[in-house]
Amino acid sequence: KLSGYCLPLVKPSGLFIAYKGEKVEAEVDAALPVIKKLGGQLKEIKKVVLLDSDIIRSLVLIEKIATTAGIIHH
């Protein structure tokens, strides 16, 4: 859902970064068809450890490689 809301707002050659939990791989795999349909492609999943903790989060980097159909960017 997050990609569906945000990716149409990203200009081609832009980057959408989603802040997610540690175990995000299955969610990303399920979202790949929607990401592609919206003109994006998965660039990288970066794992980060929050400062002064053992908590791990994921930054999902999605590159916008084409315009989203029906969306006009100015």
Side-chain angles (χ1 to χ4, degrees), residues 21 31 59-60:
L59 299 175
V60 181

Side-chain angles (χ1 to χ4, degrees), residues 6 15-19 21 27 38 47 55-56 69 71-72 74:
C6 298
L15 198 61
F16 163 51
I17 303 172
Y19 178 77
E27 183 180 349
L38 295 172
K47 301 290 184 172
I55 299 170
I56 298 173
I71 303 294
I72 301 171
H74 296 282

Side-chain angles (χ1 to χ4, degrees), residues 15-47:
L15 198 61
F16 163 51
I17 303 172
Y19 178 77
K20 305 297 281 181
E22 178 181 2
K23 297 181 181 180
V24 71
E25 288 75 17
E27 183 180 349
V28 170
D29 286 344
L32 285 176
V34 173
I35 291 168
K36 183 177 180 179
K37 183 177 181 179
L38 295 172
Q41 78 175 13
L42 178 64
K43 182 173 178 140
E44 182 179 0
I45 298 174
K46 287 187 168 223
K47 301 290 184 172

